[in-house]
């Protein structure tokens, strides 16, 4: 098998579609640790803009990925992720702190020893605890404390 680079840094973009809302864009940075050939742990810092930036979500999370063919140029993988996020609607009129969990699958394409293209599809659920939801100005209509979503992401990963 080819020698593996353990660490990776990536930038990604994509789309997100929350249930019952207009979709939006998903931009994030990722750090990756491949402690074995088949398993990778990722940390991500993301910004999601929905409804023409009327709603902005910021997230910090971790994802565990399992690669089925880690030594091949094209490798399918499955993933599970957890994290924490903050939502802001309007000009600071509504804030919520959320936890999230997601499952997904994707493909990694190795262009060279140190550069990979990745694409994946994820389905998840965000949950806001009532005690963490607060309003800073005008009262807002009732907002669900649970939200299902799907997201697709495409990006590049530089490994070293």
């Amino acid at each position: 098998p080819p020698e593996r680079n353990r660490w990776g840094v990536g930038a990604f973009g994509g789309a997100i579609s929350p249930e019952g809302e207009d979709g939006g864009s998903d931009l994030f940075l990722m750090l990756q640790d491949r402690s074995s050939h088949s398993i990778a742990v990722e940390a991500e810092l993301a910004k999601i803009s929905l409804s023409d930036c009327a709603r902005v979500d910021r997230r910090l999370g971790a994802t565990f990925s399992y690669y089925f063919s880690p030594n091949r140029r094209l490798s399918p993988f499955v993933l599970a992720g957890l994290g924490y996020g903050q939502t802001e609607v309007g000009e600071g009129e509504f804030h919520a702190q959320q936890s999230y969990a997601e499952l997904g699958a994707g493909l990694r394409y190795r262009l060279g020893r140190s550069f990979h293209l990745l694409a994946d599809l994820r389905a998840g659920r965000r949950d806001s605890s009532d005690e963490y939801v607060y309003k800073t100005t005008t009262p807002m209509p009732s907002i669900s404390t649970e939200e299902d979503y799907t997201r697709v992401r495409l990006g590049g990963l530089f490994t070293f």
Side-chain angles (χ1 to χ4, degrees):
E3 185 179 328
R4 142 185 76 83
N5 293 331
R6 179 168 180 174
W7 303 101
V9 176
F12 294 80
I16 186 164
S17 179
E19 183 179 313
E21 288 193 37
D22 293 336
S25 63
D26 186 8
L27 300 172
F28 65 95
L29 299 174
M30 177 185 76
L31 299 174
Q32 184 184 74
D33 175 16
R34 283 188 61 200
S35 55
S36 77
H37 277 292
S38 297
I39 297 173
V41 178
E42 302 169 357
E44 81 171 24
L45 182 61
K47 179 181 178 185
I48 299 167
S49 300
L50 299 168
S51 303
D52 294 327
C53 295
R55 172 179 161 184
V56 175
D57 294 353
R58 291 174 180 84
R59 303 168 24 141
L60 177 63
T63 301
F64 301 91
S65 301
Y66 180 82
Y67 291 87
F68 292 104
S69 305
N71 297 324
R72 294 184 183 247
R73 185 170 296 275
L74 184 63
S75 178
F77 61 92
V78 293
L79 60 92
L82 297 169
Y84 168 81
Q86 293 181 324
T87 296
E88 182 177 314
V89 177
E91 297 294 319
E93 295 175 3
F94 173 83
H95 294 265
Q97 297 180 11
Q98 302 172 321
S99 58
Y100 70 89
E102 55 191 17
L103 297 173
L107 290 171
R108 181 192 72 206
Y109 183 73
R110 187 177 67 239
L111 289 175
R113 184 175 184 279
S114 297
F115 190 73
H116 308 264
L117 295 177
L118 284 100
D120 63 38
L121 177 64
R122 299 173 181 220
R125 171 171 278 192
R126 290 186 271 223
D127 185 27
S128 300
S129 174
D130 287 335
E131 61 199 55
Y132 292 112
V133 175
Y134 58 94
K135 299 167 183 135
T136 57
T137 60
T138 311
M140 299 286 286
S142 175
I143 294 179
S144 173
T145 59
E146 292 182 352
E147 178 181 61
D148 293 329
Y149 64 90
T150 55
R151 69 180 180 137
V152 62
R153 67 179 199 157
L154 303 168
L157 178 68
F158 176 73
T159 61
F160 52 95

